[in-house]
Amino acid sequence: MSTVVEAPQMQSPVPAVSEPAAVVSQPIKKKSLGRAFWVAVIWLGIVTFCALLGPWLPFVKSGDDATDFLAGALVTDGKWLETFSRHHWLGVDSSGNDWFSLLILSARNSLIIAGATGVIGFTVGGILGMVAGYRRGRLDAIVSFAITVLLSMPPLLFIILLVSVLSAGGDGSGVEQGLSTTVWKLSLSLGILSVPILFRVVRGSTISFANREFVLASRTLGAKTGRVLFREILPNVAKPMLAYGLVAAGNVMVIEGALSYLGLGVGDTWAWGKMIQSGASLREMRISPHIIIVPALTLFFTVLSLNFVGDKIRERLEVKEGNL
């Protein structure tokens, strides 16, 4: 009997499949804020400290001690450099007022105006923006139209008109009696001017958060509109509001300086804008240039710091929002 031998079957070679390389997750590195950011924060901290505690600082002169008529006479003669001493760190003006002490004391009014303007703008513009952005519909259309009409007016002309009306004398004699406006009148006027811009910022942020999962979940559980706005949306909207508020505070300080130059500033009190205005004449700039240079540089660095810190915070918030 013959034996049948089966030929071995050739197995087709199976191509080797390489295993996928393991994906190594690297932590996202946070971009450093930079040294310039912290320098700006330190500068703002110093300004705030001087504004809060200025009258009680030992090196700040007030009352009769703040006036040196002999040094003022030197300024009138054009010898303003000779007024710089250990008694007058930044010299004096032609009236003998210690310019360093006025610079410290003026910081309070400048920051009060900027802070009060922000409170008014955030309160009115923030509430209107959240309600309009959340409810939408006819309410949003009406409020947005009113804000658009307000924005269509020239800002500087509008603020001059508003300050003049608020500062008008009560005896019927006209605006001429009341151009010496007080800090609160200026703050109220600038606060009204800031409402439209802050309304748009808050409204846009509210619209972006209105349909998020946590808002929809809160509404599904039966939360009322007020609770949704102030418990769910406000904590998220407050972050861009803070970033923009710092930039807006710097703009308010610049506007206050412009109004002081036009004679619509803080009246009998002192602020940085009024200090600049007091040295704005050609004669003052010629015989004592430090009178305008010192407050102008202080205002410049403060506004620059506010804008820089606000922009950095806004960039950091945008990065976090993009990673969600």
Side-chain angles (χ1 to χ4, degrees):
M1 177 181 289
S2 61
T3 305
V4 180
V5 179
E6 296 181 357
Q9 298 180 356
M10 301 294 295
Q11 297 181 356
S12 59
V14 179
V17 180
S18 59
E19 297 182 358
V23 179
V24 180
S25 60
Q26 297 180 353
I28 301 176
K29 295 182 179 180
K30 292 184 178 180
K31 187 177 180 181
S32 175
L33 293 173
R35 295 181 180 178
F37 174 84
W38 296 111
V39 171
V41 170
I42 292 174
W43 173 264
L44 294 177
I46 294 174
V47 171
T48 305
F49 174 80
C50 293
L52 295 176
L53 302 177
W56 298 280
L57 296 177
F59 46 81
V60 174
K61 300 178 177 63
S62 60
D64 296 336
D65 296 335
T67 305
D68 188 343
F69 295 105
L70 294 178
L74 292 175
V75 174
T76 305
D77 295 337
K79 302 176 182 179
W80 57 276
L81 283 174
E82 298 181 12
T83 63
F84 285 73
S85 64
R86 61 185 181 89
H87 300 290
H88 306 293
W89 293 357
L90 295 177
V92 300
D93 62 358
S94 56
S95 299
N97 296 316
D98 183 69
W99 218 231
F100 178 77
S101 299
L102 276 182
L103 189 72
I104 299 298
L105 297 176
S106 297
R108 168 172 291 189
N109 286 332
S110 296
L111 291 186
I112 285 176
I113 292 172
T117 300
V119 170
I120 296 173
F122 284 140
T123 303
V124 180
I127 293 176
L128 290 177
M130 284 197 303
V131 173
Y134 181 73
R135 298 295 297 269
R136 306 300 298 272
R138 182 176 299 179
L139 177 63
D140 183 23
I142 294 174
V143 178
S144 297
F145 176 76
I147 294 297
T148 302
V149 172
L150 194 58
L151 279 173
S152 64
M153 299 183 64
L156 188 58
L157 180 61
F158 174 76
I159 196 64
I160 291 175
L161 176 63
L162 194 58
V163 170
S164 301
V165 170
L166 291 176
S167 303
D171 55 357
S173 57
V175 177
E176 290 80 3
Q177 295 291 331
L179 289 182
S180 180
T181 180
T182 58
V183 172
W184 76 265
K185 292 178 182 179
L186 187 60
S187 302
L188 179 61
S189 304
L190 294 173
I192 295 174
L193 183 65
S194 66
V195 167
I197 302 175
L198 292 171
F199 166 82
R200 289 193 166 185
V201 173
V202 175
R203 176 181 175 273
S205 299
T206 302
I207 292 175
S208 65
F209 285 107
N211 294 322
R212 292 289 182 88
E213 290 78 3
F214 60 91
V215 176
L216 296 177
S218 180
R219 293 169 57 183
T220 304
L221 294 176
K224 296 182 179 180
T225 301
R227 179 181 176 85
V228 174
L229 288 177
F230 291 99
R231 293 293 297 273
E232 306 295 341
I233 295 180
L234 180 59
N236 295 281
V237 174
K239 298 175 183 178
M241 285 175 63
L242 174 61
Y244 182 80
L246 294 174
V247 178
N251 295 334
V252 167
M253 290 184 178
V254 174
I255 295 175
E256 183 269 327
L259 291 175
S260 295
Y261 185 81
L262 297 174
L264 297 172
V266 292
D268 297 332
T269 58
W270 284 91
W272 288 338
K274 185 178 179 180
M275 293 182 69
I276 297 174
Q277 186 270 339
S278 67
S281 64
L282 292 176
R283 179 178 178 275
E284 289 290 344
M285 285 189 289
R286 184 174 64 254
I287 66 173
S288 53
H290 69 291
I291 292 180
I292 191 172
I293 291 175
V294 169
L297 286 178
T298 305
L299 180 61
F300 168 76
F301 285 122
T302 303
V303 174
L304 179 64
S305 299
L306 288 170
N307 288 326
F308 190 79
V309 173
D311 287 340
K312 283 293 184 180
I313 294 177
R314 179 180 54 81
E315 291 176 1
R316 180 60 62 90
L317 293 176
E318 288 179 353
V319 170
K320 289 183 177 180
E321 183 67 20
N323 292 332
L324 292 178

